[in-house]
Amino acid sequence: PIAAYRGKEIGVKRIAGASRSQLVIQLLAEAFLSVLMALMLGIVLAHFSLPLLNKLLGRSMPESDLYQWPVLAAYGSVLLIATILAGIYPAILIAYTKVNLSIKSKVLFTSSRSSVRNLLATIQFAIAVIFIVCLVVFVQQVKYIQTKDLGYSYEQVIKIPVDPRNYSKTDILKSGLKQVKGVTDVTHGYMEMGSVGNLFGIDYTAPDGQSKHISVNFENVATNYVQFFDMKITKGKNFTTANSDNQYLINETLAKQLGYDDPVGKPINLSSFPPGMIAGVVKDFNYNSLHSKIEPLIIGAINYVPQWNQQLYVKVATTDIFSTVQQLEATWKKLSGNETASWQFMDDHFKEIYKTEKQAGTMIAVIGGLSIAIACLGLLGLAAFIMARRTKEIGIRKVLGASVTSVAANLSKDFMRMVVIAFVLASPVAYWLCDSWLQNFAYRIDLHWWMFALAGGVTMFIAFMTVIFLAVKAGTANPVVSLRNE
């Protein structure tokens, strides 16, 4: 917009003998210096903002990475491209304007040129709307997966992976940990909760009498596993302490796949293992992450395969947790042969599983905030340019009795219309992006109208607050001064 007010300067230079190429070079050099200063300021801000960004994302990128040669080459490319994009159009437009028009006209760019500026400002706000919608959806989805009922309770539960050297010591470790003050229960399992299951072949007899073989996820547990995690038995009963290796629990998904109305008591076994039977049906629970649907699962309590004792779970009381954890570490080190326990609370474990989603939300919040700020700067510059161009109009309106409110409203409505257009253009894109991302989750939220309305409202409010100051300032200006300047 500033370049549009250089008509007299350009006209005088043309009369003094400056060629068009010289004017283009001058204007490009000015654009280069402006972009260079902006780039240097951006690098300084990035240098001092990187520690905060590392903290938000849980990364450890050193500031020196900003000054490696590939990054420096990127800076050079940005400098060159931005200079060309920002300077070449106004430079050619101004340099090739007729001399008589340059001398007479205060504003070189006619209203036909404003469509380009309006388009760019609209695109900026459309991008801002997209980021706001994505941020709202990300926050809601992460909140949903962190609070969804998984079908079992893991409050105050500590997970301790067992080193292969100590698989055979599982019973000793469990017995020792139970003696620690503050420990209320201990159990063990084969697969890690929240991770991919372990596929095993099973043999069973179908309702039509045919022998069948399929592959399903398998979990091997202690007999108190179901009670420990407060799981629900919907049919049959839990493991008994005697001969539990020939009893199996299955989840509801596998029960449906087997085809029996009541599968309890029906023969089933792991392939190549002794024949067994179904003792009960466990209500479906999310043993994988919420990225995956619940798959068929068979649960055994086989106690003669040490390598299946890979995860210990310890439930602790809510009082004096620090002391309990210290005693757990000491007991584990003593019983495991001087090995340090790599323990972790289950709620922290699940937060880690969805860490990527949370980081993505943080990045969108940061980038979205920057995009809104950039859009507001663009809108502010556009508003200043348009109001300066309409100085005479504003003065005439004031002379004819227009109020400050009506003048401000008249000046602001065009910008509000621009934001509405940006919202209409951005909403389908935001919907597609969010819906595509949500497809990565088997359990996900629905996209609601209020998410888009919130983004539109926030953008509208920010745009209004950006231009209202200039609009009111223009409306309160002395019309005599405005008309005299024109």
Side-chain angles (χ1 to χ4, degrees):
I2 295 176
Y5 290 90
R6 301 179 64 177
K8 288 184 172 56
E9 174 196 342
I10 299 301
V12 170
K13 287 185 176 181
R14 288 291 307 280
I15 293 173
S19 66
R20 287 191 174 95
S21 59
Q22 289 175 325
L23 292 174
V24 170
I25 292 173
Q26 175 198 336
L27 294 169
L28 280 176
E30 293 173 359
F32 175 83
L33 291 175
S34 298
V35 174
L36 179 61
M37 292 174 63
L39 179 62
M40 293 175 64
L41 178 60
I43 294 173
V44 172
L45 291 175
H47 179 93
F48 289 104
S49 301
L50 192 57
L52 176 60
L53 188 63
N54 283 333
K55 185 177 180 180
L56 289 174
L57 299 180
R59 303 291 179 88
S60 57
M61 295 180 289
E63 288 84 350
S64 59
D65 285 354
L66 296 172
Y67 311 105
Q68 303 296 326
W69 73 263
V71 182
L72 294 176
Y75 294 157
S77 300
V78 169
L79 177 61
L80 179 62
I81 294 172
T83 299
I84 294 174
L85 293 178
I88 194 69
Y89 174 73
I92 293 176
L93 187 66
I94 292 173
Y96 283 80
T97 302
K98 293 181 179 180
V99 176
N100 60 341
L101 179 62
S102 301
I103 295 294
K104 290 189 299 182
S105 177
K106 177 183 177 182
V107 182
L108 288 178
F109 298 175
T110 61
S111 58
S112 62
R113 307 293 185 186
S114 65
S115 59
V116 177
R117 297 188 295 275
N118 293 344
L119 176 62
L120 293 176
T122 302
I123 291 174
Q124 287 178 327
F125 271 97
I127 294 173
V129 170
I130 292 172
F131 275 111
I132 293 174
V133 173
C134 290
L135 177 61
V136 172
V137 173
F138 269 58
V139 170
Q140 292 297 313
Q141 177 64 18
V142 171
K143 180 180 177 181
Y144 173 76
I145 60 182
Q146 288 181 339
T147 58
K148 184 182 183 300
D149 181 14
L150 300 180
Y152 60 95
S153 174
Y154 56 86
E155 291 184 6
Q156 299 299 121
V157 174
I158 296 175
K159 176 181 69 71
I160 307 177
V162 181
D163 187 271
R165 294 170 297 180
N166 291 311
Y167 287 161
S168 58
K169 295 182 180 180
T170 302
D171 290 336
I172 298 174
L173 291 169
K174 288 170 56 181
S175 178
L177 294 177
K178 283 182 181 179
Q179 305 304 315
V180 174
K181 183 180 179 181
V183 173
T184 59
D185 201 2
V186 182
T187 193
H188 72 262
Y190 177 28
M191 65 182 181
E192 182 182 40
M193 286 291 197
S195 62
V196 179
N198 306 289
L199 285 176
F200 273 75
I202 62 169
D203 300 306
Y204 71 100
T205 302
D208 59 6
Q210 293 185 358
S211 297
K212 290 193 174 182
H213 175 86
I214 59 174
S215 293
V216 299
N217 286 302
F218 169 62
E219 169 71 307
N220 192 68
V221 301
T223 53
N224 68 331
Y225 187 87
V226 171
Q227 299 96 322
F228 182 94
F229 284 109
D230 197 24
M231 297 174 180
K232 303 295 187 292
I233 300 290
T234 58
K235 292 180 180 178
K237 59 183 180 180
N238 191 16
F239 295 114
T240 60
T241 55
N243 201 30
S244 58
D245 55 308
N246 283 337
Q247 297 178 5
Y248 295 94
L249 300 177
I250 61 174
N251 68 351
E252 292 174 318
T253 301
L254 179 55
K256 293 176 183 177
Q257 185 171 338
L258 295 183
Y260 289 101
D261 293 332
D262 185 2
V264 175
K266 299 300 187 291
I268 196 170
N269 64 275
L270 298 179
S271 297
S272 75
F273 276 72
M277 70 167 191
I278 298 173
V281 178
V282 180
K283 183 178 177 62
D284 277 343
F285 63 96
N286 292 92
Y287 54 91
N288 282 346
S289 73
L290 294 178
H291 293 95
S292 306
K293 290 183 177 180
I294 297 176
E295 298 177 344
L297 175 70
I298 184 170
I299 304 173
I302 300 171
N303 55 14
Y304 54 84
V305 185
Q307 59 266 33
W308 287 349
N309 304 330
Q310 296 190 9
Q311 303 290 332
L312 272 183
Y313 300 97
V314 182
K315 189 175 293 185
V316 299
T318 56
T319 57
D320 204 7
I321 294 178
F322 181 74
S323 176
T324 301
V325 170
Q326 282 187 319
Q327 293 181 57
L328 276 175
E329 291 178 332
T331 303
W332 182 274
K333 194 169 186 178
K334 177 181 177 182
L335 297 176
S336 64
N338 206 32
E339 180 187 318
T340 302
S342 301
W343 61 272
Q344 184 181 34
F345 276 97
M346 289 289 287
D347 53 353
D348 292 332
H349 169 63
F350 282 108
K351 288 179 182 177
E352 200 170 84
I353 290 175
Y354 305 113
K355 184 178 180 181
T356 301
E357 284 74 23
K358 191 173 181 180
Q359 288 181 344
T362 303
M363 281 299 299
I364 285 183
V366 173
I367 297 174
L370 292 174
S371 69
I372 292 173
I374 292 171
C376 288
L377 289 175
L379 184 61
L380 189 63
L382 182 61
F385 172 71
I386 291 177
M387 290 175 191
R389 195 178 66 188
R390 296 174 64 178
T391 301
K392 186 175 182 178
E393 174 194 339
I394 296 170
I396 294 174
R397 287 179 182 273
K398 290 294 296 295
V399 170
L400 293 177
S403 64
V404 175
T405 303
S406 64
V407 171
N410 182 269
L411 292 172
S412 302
K413 66 181 182 180
D414 292 336
F415 300 107
M416 296 303 102
R417 187 184 301 116
M418 192 185 307
V419 176
V420 171
I421 294 173
F423 175 75
V424 172
L425 294 175
S427 293
V429 178
Y431 183 92
W432 176 77
L433 288 173
C434 293
D435 185 67
S436 299
W437 178 72
L438 288 173
Q439 297 304 316
N440 295 319
F441 296 88
Y443 303 91
R444 53 185 177 266
I445 61 171
D446 295 322
L447 293 174
H448 297 286
W449 66 268
W450 66 264
M451 299 176 179
F452 299 86
L454 177 62
V458 169
T459 309
M460 183 76 74
F461 176 77
I462 293 173
F464 178 77
M465 295 304 294
T466 301
V467 301
I468 193 62
F469 173 75
L470 289 177
V472 171
K473 183 179 179 181
T476 55
N478 188 338
V480 175
V481 176
S482 300
L483 293 175
R484 184 184 63 192
N485 289 338
E486 288 289 326

